[in-house]
Structure formats: C-alpha cells, structure tokens
C-alpha cells in the first residue's frame, strides 16, 4: 500500500530510530526502500542488516556520492507501493501513523495526494509545521488543488504528503540536481492531482534545526532556489492557474528568500547582495496584479525586497540576526 523511500544519509546517527519507527508500525503492508550512495555517512552494514531481518526492506545502491534528488529518484523507481512517502534518516513516525494514513486514504476514496502535518523537534522543544493552520481549516471532503490555492502558500516539502505512484510515474516526476529540489516537484504534483485530501495528524517529526537535507547536492548552491520558483511559475502559466495560485505562491517565494537571507551561515557575506538582488528581480517579475503584501514587520521586509534596498534590509535584520548569533541553537519554525 505504501512505499517509504528513505535516504540513508545518516549524518547524526538517527537512521536506526527512523527505520524502527516505520517497521514497528501496527500497519504492516508497507515496504521500505533504503537508498545508499558511497558517501561515508551512509551506513551500508546497518541497512543490509535490516534487509536481512525484514523482507519489507530493500536496498538501492548508487555509485559515487549522489545528491538528495538523485537518491529520492532512485527510491521512487524501485518502489512498488500504491503511494510514495519520502523520509530522511532524521524523520520518525508514530506507531499508528501508517494505519491513520491508510484509513484516511480509504475514507477519501484514494486521492492522488494526501497532505498531513509534521512537527520539528529541536533541543527538547517540538514546533508545529508551517502549514498547520492551513491544514486545520480544511474539511473532510477531497478537493482539487485549484479549489484550495492557499495551500501553495505552504512550504513545499516532499515528506509531509503521500503521492500516488501512478501519478508520479504518469507525470514523469523527478527531483532535479542541486539544492531546494522539492519546490517545483511538489507544485507539479499538486497541480496534476485531481483529488487532494488532508489528514489532520502530525504524522512525521523532523529532528533537525533546518529543513535543508544535510546530504545537499554536489555542485548545488542556494541560488538554485531561483530556478525552482521560475519553474513553478512557468508551470502555473502552462496550466492556466496563474491568476488563482500566484498570490499564494508569490508570498511563499518571498518568505523563502527572506528565510535564506536571514539564516545564519547560509549565504556568505559576498553572496548576500547578489542573492538579494535576484530576489528583488523576482519580486518585480512575478508580482501578481493587485497583490497585498503581509502586514507588520514582515510586510516591511517585503517592501524592502520590492524596492531593492539591500542596505535597509540588512539594517532591519540586525536585531534578529544578533539574537540568532547569541543563541545559535534557537529553533527555526519552518521557512
């Protein structure tokens, strides 16, 4: 019923807990496709031991050191389940989660995409995912994504949703090389889905501070994010969905850019002005007609991006960045 594709890149030594959380579920009709490349952070012996002990586990081995996009694509190609779930080694799921997913799939007459909640655990504190409020407002009946365009304002993660495998293959979905690989793929899957349903459970817990996968991608940079959103807006235009979806996707895009600009250690001092100018260009290029920016402090930052005033944005960000420097371990609530 469900194929769980696990990127077995285990930088923090959490893969065993992740695999146990899947295999010890009360629901048993699940397969785990563990994907290894040849990096030192992939514990082949551990994965092979699970495959020997449990026939539901299969192993895919890649040559060389692969990026997270190639790793997930290889797992999707091997998967045989009706639905795909992409997890990383620092994700865990509770003991009744898969059963709850299956129950919801059946009650919703097997939709193309099932959305669900997640939490982030960092330094002993659990934070709700950024889409929690959006999901809480959804009803029981499945819907077309164009009927709920505000969902495109949520972060585009591959691990807070199930996707029908036949939709994945029919649309020839695949993660690109480079960073921020999930953005356009998630948007393409949502636009291709005839029926979307919501499970109001926090099904997955991520146990790292930031969402960017630690495996990264050889040769990838954070500037890849601009191409991802260009692809998404091109797709909206191609599907005739630009007018309906653009205001929500635009807000998500600018929030994502501001998050990366504010994230300590993400961009070097020399990269920051160039990144900001690219963000400002995208603001002007993709600004929807009649758009109203968010209110408050966030709205001020939106206006600074719109005007291209990098020095003013730096000044506005100094207090927050100073607090981040003092407490480097502070939890980040999504993007």
């Amino acid at each position: 019923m469900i194929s769980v594709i696990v990127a077995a890149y285990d930088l923090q030594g959490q893969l065993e807990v992740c695999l146990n959380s899947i295999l010890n579920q009360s629901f048993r009709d699940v397969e785990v496709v563990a994907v290894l490349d040849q990096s030192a952070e992939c514990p082949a012996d551990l994965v092979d031991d699970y495959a020997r002990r449990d026939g539901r586990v299969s192993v895919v081995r890649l040559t060389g050191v692969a990026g997270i996009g190639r790793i997930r694509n290889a797992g999707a190609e091997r998967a045989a389940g009706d639905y795909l779930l992409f997890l990383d080694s620092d994700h865990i799921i509770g003991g009744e989660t898969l059963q709850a997913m299956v129950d919801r799939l059946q009650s919703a007459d097997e939709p193309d995409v099932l959305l669900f909640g997640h939490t982030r655990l960092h330094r002993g504190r659990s934070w709700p995912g950024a889409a929690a409020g959006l999901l809480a407002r959804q009803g029981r009946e499945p819907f077309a994504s164009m009927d709920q365009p505000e969902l495109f304002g949520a972060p585009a993660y591959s691990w807070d949703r199930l996707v029908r495998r036949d939709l994945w293959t029919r649309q020839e979905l695949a993660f690109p090389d480079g960073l921020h690989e999930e953005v356009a793929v998630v948007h393409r899957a949502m636009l291709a889905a005839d029926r979307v349903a919501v499970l109001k459970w926090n099904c997955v817990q991520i146990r790292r501070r930031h969402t960017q996968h630690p495996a990264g991608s050889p040769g990838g940079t954070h500037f890849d994010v601009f191409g991802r959103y260009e692809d998404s807006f091109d797709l909206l235009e191609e599907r005739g969905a630009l007018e309906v979806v653009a205001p929500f996707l635009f807000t998500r895009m600018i929030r994502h850019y501001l998050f990366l600009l504010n994230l300590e250690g993400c961009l070097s001092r020399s990269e920051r002005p160039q990144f900001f100018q690219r963000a400002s260009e995208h603001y002007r290029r993709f600004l929807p007609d009649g758009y109203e920016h968010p209110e408050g402090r966030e709205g001020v930052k939106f206006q600074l991006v719109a005007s291209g005033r990098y020095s003013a944005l730096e000044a506005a960000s100094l207090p927050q960045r100073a607090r981040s420097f003092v407490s480097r371990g502070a939890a980040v609530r999504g993007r």
Side-chain angles (χ1 to χ4, degrees):
M1 185 72 175
I2 298 176
S3 293
V4 185
I5 294 125
V6 179
Y9 184 93
D10 196 22
L11 184 64
Q12 301 296 333
Q14 302 181 97
L15 179 60
E16 187 171 4
V17 176
C18 171
L19 292 174
N20 287 340
S21 78
I22 302 166
L23 297 171
N24 293 337
Q25 293 278 308
S26 60
F27 181 78
R28 308 291 294 174
D29 187 16
V30 60
E31 71 166 349
V32 175
V33 182
V35 186
L36 301 158
D37 68 5
Q38 293 183 327
S39 64
E41 291 78 12
C42 288
D45 291 344
L46 173 66
V47 174
D48 288 340
D49 183 56
Y50 272 89
R52 284 192 296 269
R53 291 188 285 115
D54 195 318
R56 296 173 296 166
V57 179
S58 61
V59 183
V60 176
R61 287 177 167 79
L62 302 179
T63 58
V65 176
I68 185 59
R70 182 182 164 204
I71 287 170
R72 288 174 175 153
N73 291 339
E77 290 175 7
R78 173 69 66 86
D82 295 332
Y83 286 87
L84 305 179
L85 172 61
F86 296 93
L87 295 183
D88 302 327
S89 63
D90 49 14
H91 289 139
I92 57 173
I93 56 178
E96 299 297 325
T97 296
L98 293 181
Q99 185 63 60
M101 289 178 178
V102 171
D103 290 345
R104 184 69 184 108
L105 290 171
Q106 293 173 346
S107 69
D109 196 22
E110 299 188 356
D112 295 310
V113 175
L114 179 68
L115 305 175
F116 48 80
H118 73 273
T119 58
R120 182 185 313 280
L121 181 67
H122 181 68
R123 291 201 168 185
R125 297 189 66 182
S126 182
W127 305 94
L134 288 173
L135 298 182
R137 293 194 290 271
Q138 303 304 313
R140 289 284 300 172
E141 292 302 314
F143 52 87
S145 58
M146 290 300 91
D147 294 335
Q148 302 289 345
E150 65 271 19
L151 290 170
F152 288 86
Y157 300 140
S158 60
W159 36 265
D160 62 0
R161 65 200 67 214
L162 293 178
V163 179
R164 282 190 71 95
R165 185 167 59 87
D166 65 352
L167 174 71
W168 187 272
T169 56
R170 188 172 67 251
Q171 294 294 320
E172 298 182 336
L173 297 177
F175 296 99
D177 292 331
L179 300 187
H180 308 288
E181 73 292 334
E182 296 170 297
V183 173
V185 176
V186 166
H187 295 152
R188 184 174 292 275
M190 288 291 288
L191 287 170
D194 292 327
R195 298 169 67 255
V196 179
V198 170
L199 171 61
K200 296 181 183 180
W201 274 42
N202 288 327
C203 294
V204 174
Q205 182 176 83
I206 180 171
R207 296 169 294 157
R208 64 176 180 262
R209 183 181 176 191
H210 305 309
T211 57
Q212 185 66 47
H213 191 278
S217 186
T221 78
H222 286 291
F223 284 82
D224 295 340
V225 73
F226 297 108
R228 309 304 187 217
Y229 281 101
E230 289 170 2
D231 290 345
S232 290
F233 274 97
D234 286 347
L235 182 62
L236 291 185
E237 188 169 15
E238 175 188 317
R239 299 291 176 90
L242 196 60
E243 183 177 352
V244 175
V245 176
F248 302 99
L249 183 59
F250 180 85
T251 299
R252 169 48 44 194
M253 177 182 75
I254 301 303
R255 281 177 173 162
H256 196 167
Y257 296 166
L258 286 169
F259 173 83
L260 295 175
L261 279 164
N262 193 59
L263 182 60
E264 183 185 350
C266 177
L267 298 164
S268 69
R269 178 174 294 184
S270 61
E271 290 175 326
R272 290 176 59 79
Q274 182 185 356
F275 188 96
F276 176 85
Q277 291 305 322
R278 291 285 302 276
S280 185
E281 290 168 6
H282 269 199
Y283 196 110
R284 295 186 292 272
R285 175 179 172 183
F286 295 115
L287 179 66
D289 292 337
Y291 179 75
E292 295 185 7
H293 57 70
E295 297 179 351
R297 184 180 180 85
E298 183 182 38
V300 171
K301 291 186 177 183
F302 269 56
Q303 293 179 72
L304 293 175
V305 175
S307 65
R309 297 169 59 194
Y310 173 69
S311 59
L313 181 73
E314 286 288 273
S317 300
L318 277 176
Q320 185 174 349
R321 290 168 61 195
R323 288 194 299 270
S324 176
F325 180 79
V326 172
S327 56
R328 294 172 183 266
V332 174
R333 307 186 192 191
R335 290 187 187 133

